[in-house]
Amino acid sequence: MKKILLTLAAAFMLAAPAAMAQNYAENLVVTINGESTDPVPASIDVQKKENGTCTFMLKNFKLAAGEDVMPVGTIVLEGVTMTEADGQTTLETTQTIRIQAGNDANVSDDGWMGPMLGDVPIVMSGKIVGDNLLANIDIDMSELLNQIINVKVGVKEMRNYTEPLVVTINEESTEPQDVPVQVMTLVDGTCIFRLNNFTLSAGESSIHVGNIVVENVNVENKGLYDAISTMQNILIAAGTDENVPADDWMGPGLGEVPLVLNGKMMADKLFVNIDIDMSATLGQIINVKLGTDEGFPEIPEGIEHIDAAQGNATVIYDLNGVRQMQPLSRLAKGVYVVNGRKVVK
């Protein structure tokens, strides 16, 4: 009997997985054609393998729109590349999979849509920071459903604002127009800023630009409000307004667009200033203002002193809001705003 038990134990050890899966309970948001769902709880398993890869499993994935819920299934990604550096682990893979049926007792076996979709192309990137998992999953259903489904894992909060928007080009400003804006904050201390269907209007003339989506925006808690800021190049996607033909959106033809974004946000109020540098292509710097800073509490900001030799910054303004086209080292002594921060030369 003892020999049989030892044999069974050895067989079990050989059959056991190499490592236990780490489970992450994070909120996720699904975005389809620029429209996002509310954050919903999700369960994700990440099982590390000895060869430096992992298995990524998003269990019982469902698409929800209000009270309507469409069960999709369980997304299993094998052989996901894992890279550890600077205290975090990055995840990355591009592959085509079959989505499996889920195991939610409230959904019948044939109620899952995933197994009926056939081969599904997926691009996933993410990172593990401490006890948190962030992931971006693009599910390309353009051939079957004419949709690219984006799943964002690790959402802390999503805020929707409606603020007046004013566009200034060559010192000529448009009339304020109320527009919806979305800010999605993530568990890593960044946020995603989304302005859908951005349109430049002057009288009866309109130029349809597209969806401005800015990821990896820094969020700094000031106690009474959050300050947001970034400087980066983005690609503007075509808008999703059904009244505008797909070819009428100018944004996709602009290539990489340099912008500087600074702002403040509270639960019910948003103020954002965006400078879009189109001087190389259109000979213009476009300023977009959303909301006003009225109503935000005053918090003293320290002035940072830097060496003028370090002043070859990309974006410099004087205190009157006029952009300076020369490096800081060639400007007169004074106070400037360099990359969104006050500095003294």
Side-chain angles (χ1 to χ4, degrees):
M1 177 64 72
K2 182 177 180 180
K3 184 177 180 180
I4 294 174
L5 291 175
L6 288 173
T7 302
L8 289 173
F12 177 78
M13 290 175 66
L14 289 173
M20 294 294 292
Q22 176 69 46
N23 179 261
Y24 297 90
E26 304 283 2
N27 290 329
L28 66 77
V29 167
V30 179
T31 302
I32 303 175
N33 293 342
E35 297 293 328
S36 300
T37 67
D38 291 329
V40 295
S43 178
I44 302 99
D45 285 345
V46 177
Q47 183 177 352
K48 295 182 180 180
K49 305 292 185 179
E50 293 183 354
N51 62 357
T53 68
C54 72
T55 299
F56 179 99
M57 180 184 296
L58 171 57
K59 298 179 286 188
N60 299 319
F61 173 52
K62 300 174 183 178
L63 292 175
E67 297 181 355
D68 297 327
V69 177
M70 179 183 296
V72 179
T74 294
I75 295 174
V76 181
L77 303 175
E78 302 277 2
V80 177
T81 302
M82 301 186 73
T83 306
E84 297 188 14
D86 300 326
Q88 67 182 29
T89 302
T90 58
L91 312 174
E92 189 171 7
T93 189
T94 299
Q95 53 184 277
T96 299
I97 68 166
R98 295 286 183 106
I99 299 177
Q100 304 173 13
N103 60 1
D104 188 332
N106 297 317
V107 180
S108 63
D109 291 341
D110 58 357
W112 298 97
M113 182 182 67
M116 297 182 289
L117 297 177
D119 291 339
V120 177
I122 287 183
V123 178
M124 191 277 285
S125 61
K127 60 183 177 180
I128 299 172
V129 183
D131 297 328
N132 293 118
L133 169 71
L134 292 97
N136 185 83
I137 307 172
D138 286 322
I139 306 173
D140 190 346
M141 301 302 297
S142 53
E143 290 188 5
L144 186 62
L145 303 176
N146 196 30
Q147 296 173 340
I148 293 182
I149 301 171
N150 175 260
V151 181
K152 193 75 65 177
V153 178
V155 178
K156 184 178 178 181
E157 185 181 12
M158 188 166 67
R159 297 175 179 175
N160 292 294
Y161 302 92
T162 299
E163 299 287 355
L165 177 145
V166 175
V167 179
T168 302
I169 304 175
N170 296 339
E171 299 183 356
E172 294 290 330
S173 299
T174 64
E175 292 294 324
Q177 180 181 1
D178 287 344
V179 298
V181 187
Q182 184 183 86
V183 179
M184 187 186 305
T185 57
L186 306 179
V187 293
D188 67 343
T190 66
C191 74
I192 301 170
F193 174 92
R194 177 182 288 273
L195 170 60
N196 285 341
N197 301 315
F198 175 49
T199 299
L200 294 173
S201 298
E204 297 181 357
S205 301
S206 296
I207 298 176
H208 304 291
V209 181
N211 289 354
I212 295 180
V213 182
V214 189
E215 303 208 17
N216 298 314
V217 179
N218 297 319
V219 180
E220 183 180 358
N221 183 264
K222 297 290 188 178
L224 301 176
Y225 63 82
D226 289 326
I228 59 177
S229 62
T230 190
M231 180 179 66
Q232 57 179 276
N233 295 344
I234 69 165
L235 297 173
I236 299 177
T240 53
D241 188 337
E242 295 179 352
N243 297 316
V244 180
D247 293 340
D248 283 5
W249 296 103
M250 183 179 67
L254 297 177
E256 289 194 343
V257 176
L259 63 76
V260 179
L261 182 152
N262 291 284
K264 308 173 184 177
M265 62 180 182
M266 296 188 293
D268 58 349
K269 186 171 178 58
L270 175 72
F271 170 63
V272 172
N273 185 83
I274 307 173
D275 284 319
I276 304 174
D277 189 348
M278 301 302 298
S279 53
T281 54
L282 303 179
Q284 299 171 336
I285 294 179
I286 301 170
N287 176 260
V288 179
K289 264 193 177 49
L290 278 161
T292 68
D293 58 358
E294 296 179 3
F296 283 94
E298 289 290 336
I299 298 177
E301 294 281 356
I303 295 179
E304 182 180 349
H305 294 259
I306 65 171
D307 192 327
Q310 301 173 348
N312 291 324
T314 303
V315 182
I316 305 174
Y317 291 90
D318 65 19
L319 293 184
N320 294 320
V322 178
R323 182 169 179 177
Q324 307 298 301
M325 304 311 295
Q326 296 193 27
L328 187 61
S329 58
R330 296 184 182 178
L331 296 176
K333 291 184 177 180
V335 181
Y336 297 91
V337 179
V338 180
N339 296 344
R341 303 183 68 179
K342 287 183 180 179
V343 300
V344 174
K345 179 185 175 186

